[in-house]
Structure formats: C-alpha cells, structure tokens
Amino acid sequence: MIRRPVPLPGEHIPPGTADWRTPDARRWLAAAPARWARPLWVLPVLVASLVWDIAAAPVAPCTTAAPCGTDWLGLGTAVVLLLTLYWVWRQPRLALVGLTLTLAGLAAEDGFAATLGEPSTLVFLLTAAFTAAGLVHRLAVAGRQRALALEAAGPVVQPLPAAARTFHRGRFSFVLAALLLAVAGFGYRQAQQVADAYEERAAGATSLSGRVTSLKGDVDDISVLEVEAGGRTHRFETVFPEDFPVGSRVDIVVDGDWAALVAEPYDAFGWELLVLAGSVTGLAFLANGMDGRARSERLRRGPLPVLNVLVREGHDDSRTWVFAADDPEGLRPVLHFHSRYAFEEEDENEDENEDGREAGDGLAGLVGLGKASEILRGVGPHPPLREAVLYGVPYAGSEVAFVAREDADDPEVSVECSVTAVKPAVPGWGERGPRRRERESPQRPVDEIAAGMTPTAGPRVWTAHGFSRAVGLGLLLVQGGGIWTALDDGLSWTWLLPALGLPWLVTAVATALTWRITADRDGLWVTGAWRVRRVPWDAITSVRHSDDGIRVDRAKDSPVQLSPSGWAWLERRTGREPYADRVVEEVRALLLRPELRPSEEAPTGRQGIPVGPPLVALSVLWGAAVLLLL
C-alpha cells in the first residue's frame, strides 16, 4: 500500500504554480556536473600531486646569510594552498582565485622553465589545470541547471514568505572567524616578539665563529649541536641537524651565558603553526559566512519562481530531500540540502554552525535543533513524504526555501530555508540519499526471508564474524599503540588526550570482537561490550542495520545498539553480503512471523558474556607493562 504524501492546503499554493515533473527533473539532473569534475574525484588527485611536489622540492639550508627564522611569505602561501583545497570542495569561484594565486606565485618564484623541468611540479601544474577545468565546468553547468529550473517553473513568480524574509545567516560564522583570526593575530604577535627579542639581544652580543665538534640526540630525541668557539663549548638544540655536519664551521652570537646559532637563531614554529591554523580556519569561516549571507540576501531580493514538489527529511541524517511532484513513492530524489525552520516573529536569530549550517536562537533554533537531534539519533518513525512549494531557482550551489506541513495531523504549515547549498542527488556527489541506501542495502521481503528459515526448538544465535573480528583486532592495535604513545613520555598531561577516546575505543573493540544476538521463545538476548540485555518480542518496534551497527528499537525504552558489527563497505567490495544485513533480516522475520521463533528459552551459557570489563583490565596491564619497559 502506497502512503500518500502529506498534502499542502490549497491556500498556501500560489496560483499558477507549476509541478516539477519527472521528465523536467531528469533533465535537470542530467545537467549536473560530470563525474570527472566532482570534488570527490578531483580533490584526492590534487592533494596527492601537491604532497609529491612539496616532498620533492629541495629545502634551502640554514646559513648565516639566510637564517631559518620566521617565513611569513611561505606561511601565507601555505594558507592560500590549504584554503584552496577546502574551496575546491565548497567554493568553486574562490578555488579558482586560489589556484590562480598559487600558480602565479610558483611561476614568479621558480620561473616557467624551471617548473617544466621538475616532474613533480609539472604533475602538480597539470593537476591544477585539470582542477581548474572542473571548477569552470561546475560553474557552467550550474547556469544550465538554473535555465532548466526557470523553464520548468514558467513565468509565475511570488514573493518569499514573510517568515523566510526574516531568516538571516552567517552571524555565528562571523563570530567564529573573528575569534580564530584573533588567535592567528596573537600567534603572529608572539612569533614577532620571539624574533624581536633575539634581534635586540644579538645586536649587543659578541659574534664568533666556531667548529662543530659533535652532534647527538638527548633523551627527548632532540638533536643537540656542540660548538667550540672562543675557548668554550656551546650547546645548541637544532631542528635541522643535517645543515651542521661535524667539522663544519658555524657563526654564533654570545652574550654572557646566552648563545645562539646565527643560522638557526630561534624556534617560533609553534607560534607559526598557530598562525597557520587560525588563519586557515578563520578565513574559511569568514568566506562561508559571507557566501551564506550573500546567497540569503539574493533569495530575499525580489519575487521568485515557484515549483510544486515533494520533500522528505532524511531519517539517518538532517538533510531535506526534494522529489518530483509526480513521484508519490519518493523513489528518485532530485536534490538535497540542509534546512532550518523560519519564524515570522524572529528577527535575525539564525546562526550558522561550524559546518556552514544554520543553528537559530530562540524558538526557531530550538525546534530546528530538536528536529536534527531526533534525526541524527534515528528515533521515531520515518518522516513522511510531504507536498511543498519550493521558492527560488534550484541549481548546484543555490539557496531555496519551501513551505510544507509537518504531517497530516498538523493543520499549520511551516516555512524552512536552506542553510547549505543545493546539491544534485546524483551518485558520487557525496550524498547518502535514500536511493543510494536502497541500492546498497536492498530490503528483501519478509516472505522471501521466512521461506529460507525453518522453525527450531533451540535458540538461534548470531555472533561476531570474521570481518567484525578483523575490525575489532584493528581497533585493538590502535588502542595499544595509543596507550604506548601516551605513556612514552611518562606521566604528563598528554594522558588526557587518549583518555578521552579510550572509553569509546574499548567499547568498540569489545563489541566488534564478541557481539552476540540470541533469539529464544520470549525475545532477544543482546550481548554488547558491557552487559547482556533482554528485549522481549512485544517490546521490539523495528530492527535495522545502519552505519555498520545493528539497532533494535524498543517501544518504551531507548534502542539497543551493537556497533561496530562488521565493515559493510568492505564486505560488499569483496562480493559478500554484509553479515549484519543477514542478521537483521532474519531477526526481522522472527519478529513478524512468530511461528518461526524457537520454542525453548536460551540457557545462560548461550546468552553471551560481555568482554568490556576484562578488556579494561587488559588495557591497564598493558599500560603498566609499557611503563616498566620504557
């Protein structure tokens, strides 16, 4: 039985609004960027060529004439490069500017002749040219999609709903950008203070020439240089020991007990790293905020084309999926974006979080965040398909708004505005839409599953299989290595870093190695990392597999989850059916076909034993062993 979409009252559908039908939607999808131009394919190649070029480039040695101090020009180039890599994914126009500046700087520094003579640099240039062609292609096809959407909408235009006109974006991004750029400015100031302090002291110090007598590492694996000069032996920590071979001569400056290498006078790398991180993230947030604000302003600028469509909230994510008006089953999504509610009484209370999505203040924000929280936790029933009126011209990178009812029992309509750019729902664009999930994990009919199962008297048991145990062993190695790394320097505050992730890691390892589901006459015994839970048959509302985990939803209590229960992606790539999918199908068949359930209760020995507590003890013993060995 097909569930009809939630209708939109006629008074909320502007006169003359055209239906966006499947033929027009398919033409719009066909105009999406080609696979070769999509960031998912272009970006890894660009990053690989850039890493190769950086690794192959000769590093200038630290000398008296060219000391290794602060390099703000090089750091600025690194900022542009990192931002360009990010913008290739999100901001094609800014990415083109970044690539242009990068290539211009490369040509100005080395010249075209030298550039063409280096294989790594030549490969980077070719990759950058390919990336630029992809960016131009993405911008061009966005114009084609805009034309097709305008053609489907026809001549009818309508003003944006009042609630959407008060929906503003970007404030939170601007705040974060200001904070992060302030951090970058603080790092720049500290680095300059280090450089100025050296310059001031070196100006009144004695210049000497000495000979390198030895080069060795201390207990912290820091290279220490010993230099004889002025009848004394001076020791210097060095970041580039290869620049100072034993027997070579170096220039130093001495002022009492203070001495410094002229070629490597100070170390401001930590502050430079802070400047780099603050600048890249701050400028990224600033660009996102400005772009979101500009697109939002364009949406409110005047009357807009309108299209009658169907929309649905993603059950496993917070995306809004748009379908053609004549696709009542929601089989073929056309586009998707993230959205937030807009309320007429709110005024500039919508902010944007770190991912570029809106998180409003007040009532709008609470409703939007509550809805997103429920979706991300996967609670509640699957959202229904709803009839909606889409305001704006949809194309890759655009901004839209829509009006729809929440469900059939809600007489009021709600207005939602997009808070991320529109993306076509095509394979390879990075989405995990309903069509793709159906293709990867098709749900077989219960009758088909039940036909392959015979009733048994004894309990049915499903337990961790080879792929799941492999994942558990891999995570166990990560856990052991993390403990070793944390304890390598002895007791210190760095213990806090792995300690924060250790509980999750122990839980994941214990689950992946020994998870078990036992079905008997009265229900399920679900063995996780820490305990065995009893779930009666009449309390189970659904059983499903998502994100490499098995989830048993209960009517009153919170769901029971086992994660990870394998590696579905790798299992499919090796031609196998994911074991967790088969487990879920068979448990669902027992749930819906009581005659297939076992007739006996499961004894204690078959209910499973959680291994989380023993794994904690093993981790403690491993940590003690590491401390004794180091």
Side-chain angles (χ1 to χ4, degrees), residues 162-409:
R165 288 197 295 270
T166 62
F167 188 91
H168 296 273
R169 297 184 54 191
R171 180 184 300 172
F172 193 60
S173 280
F174 292 142
V175 171
L176 279 179
L179 292 175
L180 290 166
L181 292 176
V183 169
F186 173 75
Y188 173 79
R189 179 184 176 186
Q190 294 299 112
Q192 281 300 108
Q193 286 183 350
V194 172
D196 293 343
Y198 164 76
E199 295 292 345
E200 182 178 352
R201 191 156 190 179
T206 302
S207 299
L208 298 174
S209 178
R211 185 174 63 86
V212 178
T213 59
S214 71
L215 178 63
K216 54 188 177 181
D218 62 8
V219 293
D220 294 324
D221 293 331
I222 298 176
S223 297
V224 176
L225 202 68
E226 291 188 351
V227 178
E228 286 188 358
R232 295 175 55 188
T233 299
H234 303 273
R235 292 178 175 81
F236 306 97
E237 293 183 355
T238 176
V239 180
F240 305 103
E242 64 276 7
D243 294 340
F244 311 103
V246 175
S248 62
R249 300 199 66 83
V250 296
D251 295 326
I252 65 174
V253 287
V254 180
D255 183 13
D257 294 334
W258 176 84
L261 284 170
V262 175
E264 196 176 322
Y266 53 85
D267 182 12
F269 178 75
W271 296 118
E272 290 180 302
L273 191 61
L274 183 64
V275 173
L276 177 66
S279 299
V280 170
T281 53
L283 291 174
F285 275 113
L286 181 62
N288 286 347
M290 294 177 64
D291 178 68
R293 182 61 60 88
R295 285 192 278 116
S296 181
E297 291 293 337
R298 285 197 299 269
L299 191 65
R300 298 194 301 268
R301 194 167 295 166
L304 301 168
V306 287
L307 284 167
N308 195 13
V309 296
L310 300 176
V311 298
R312 174 187 285 156
E313 297 296 327
H315 190 256
D316 295 332
D317 55 28
S318 57
R319 292 173 182 163
T320 296
W321 295 87
V322 176
F323 302 83
D326 56 351
D327 184 11
E329 298 182 56
L331 297 179
R332 297 181 179 86
V334 182
L335 57 90
H336 63 86
F337 50 85
H338 289 87
S339 63
R340 292 288 182 268
Y341 289 102
F343 290 84
E344 189 171 353
E345 66 271 19
E346 297 292 331
D347 185 15
E348 297 191 7
N349 277 335
E350 296 295 328
D351 296 332
E352 186 171 348
N353 66 19
E354 62 273 13
D355 293 326
R357 305 173 190 173
E358 299 295 323
D361 300 326
L363 180 60
L366 291 176
V367 173
L369 291 176
K371 180 189 72 172
S373 176
E374 290 182 358
I375 291 171
L376 291 174
R377 288 186 289 114
V379 300
H382 286 262
L385 201 63
R386 301 176 289 157
E387 184 183 8
V389 173
L390 193 70
Y391 288 80
V393 185
Y395 58 90
S398 70
E399 195 96 353
V400 293
F402 67 91
V403 176
R405 291 168 65 193
E406 285 302 300
D407 52 57
D409 298 327

Side-chain angles (χ1 to χ4, degrees), residues 46 66 123 134 140 142 159 197-198 224 265 315 483 534 565 588 595 613 615:
L46 181 62
V123 169
Y198 164 76
V224 176
H315 190 256
I483 293 175
R534 180 60 161 169
S565 58
R588 187 185 297 118
E595 65 274 9
L615 189 58

Side-chain angles (χ1 to χ4, degrees), residues 553-559:
D553 292 309
R554 297 186 286 183
K556 296 182 180 179
D557 300 319
S558 59

Side-chain angles (χ1 to χ4, degrees), residues 133-163:
L135 295 171
V136 172
H137 172 74
R138 286 163 59 186
L139 293 173
V141 298
R144 172 63 177 161
Q145 284 186 322
R146 176 184 173 85
L148 290 172
L150 286 171
E151 181 182 338
V156 176
V157 293
Q158 293 290 330
L160 198 64

Side-chain angles (χ1 to χ4, degrees), residues 482-496:
I483 293 175
W484 181 289
T485 303
L487 301 180
D488 188 34
D489 294 329
L491 300 175
S492 71
W493 66 271
T494 57
W495 282 31
L496 294 175

